[in-house]
Amino acid sequence: MEHNTTKNTSLNQITKLEKFDGSFFRRWKTTIYFFLSALKLSHVLNEEKPTKKENEIVAEIRTRNKWNEDDFMCKGHILNALSNSLYDVYEINFAEKTTKDLCEDLESKYKTEDAEHKKFLVSKLFDFNMLDSKSIMSQVNQLQYIRNQIISKYHTLDKSF
């Protein structure tokens, strides 16, 4: 019974996750993987889908059914963690795709956009100019904000910056 309570608590935490809206993909991916691991579902991301064989023994049937159930739950949790507009895009073909397929689709789309966002942040840093018409503190805060965004994206800044 204690195991079910822990699982239900984890499920409640997943529903409280911030919905992925297309930004900060790497952070969202890490968070969702953590929760899927806590639910003991993440194995479907690393294992190939078991195929139906002739003359299967009961253990093989159970393993295949368990994998299919875990894959279904995993896809549901991932889709639940998407914003409404992204849910509508990725929910299509839900039955035909595996969790691994869904994650590969998301990664191919948003990892590229993350890289573009990083380039945008670095260009904002290069283009930053101090203005006499604004207070120094507000401009320093703005510069620190840009710096922190770059660092939060796993970039390091040279000391000269």
Side-chain angles (χ1 to χ4, degrees), residues 102-153:
L102 175 60
C103 288
E104 287 172 357
D105 288 351
L106 287 164
E107 183 138 355
S108 67
K109 170 82 171 140
Y110 294 103
K111 197 169 186 180
T112 304
E113 288 190 10
D114 256 5
E116 292 299 318
H117 184 67
K118 289 176 191 175
K119 289 177 188 174
F120 171 73
L121 290 173
V122 171
S123 71
K124 277 178 69 173
L125 181 64
F126 284 131
D127 294 341
F128 186 82
N129 290 316
M130 295 292 277
L131 302 172
D132 290 334
S133 60
K134 292 184 178 179
S135 76
I136 291 176
M137 286 311 295
S138 70
Q139 293 179 81
V140 167
N141 288 338
Q142 184 180 5
L143 190 57
Q144 285 178 329
Y145 177 74
I146 294 169
R147 178 188 154 272
N148 290 340
Q149 282 187 313
I150 292 170
I151 291 171
S152 75
K153 295 289 188 179

Side-chain angles (χ1 to χ4, degrees), residues 12-109:
N12 289 337
Q13 292 299 320
I14 287 175
T15 58
K16 293 179 185 176
L17 287 176
E18 187 175 321
K19 301 285 186 180
F20 177 63
D21 62 359
S23 57
F24 303 109
F25 176 72
R26 179 181 278 162
R27 184 178 301 152
W28 176 82
K29 179 182 165 186
T30 303
T31 303
I32 202 73
Y33 188 81
F34 170 78
F35 282 111
L36 293 174
S37 295
L39 295 172
K40 300 188 183 336
L41 297 172
S42 63
H43 67 94
V44 298
L45 294 168
N46 306 318
E47 298 172 1
E48 292 298 318
K49 181 178 181 175
T51 55
K52 190 172 185 175
K53 303 174 192 171
E54 282 188 42
N55 302 323
E56 283 183 315
I57 60 174
V58 174
E60 290 174 327
I61 294 170
R62 285 186 181 142
T63 300
R64 186 170 38 83
N65 288 342
K66 170 85 168 95
W67 192 94
N68 286 334
E69 288 173 18
D70 289 351
D71 185 61
F72 178 82
M73 294 300 292
C74 207
K75 285 187 293 189
H77 287 305
I78 291 172
L79 288 171
N80 186 46
L82 299 176
S83 68
N84 289 341
S85 59
L86 291 179
Y87 178 93
D88 292 340
V89 171
Y90 289 98
E91 186 269 337
I92 298 171
N93 302 326
F94 179 82
E96 294 91 36
K97 289 192 174 206
T98 65
T99 300
K100 192 173 185 177
D101 296 334
L102 175 60
C103 288
E104 287 172 357
D105 288 351
L106 287 164
E107 183 138 355
S108 67
K109 170 82 171 140

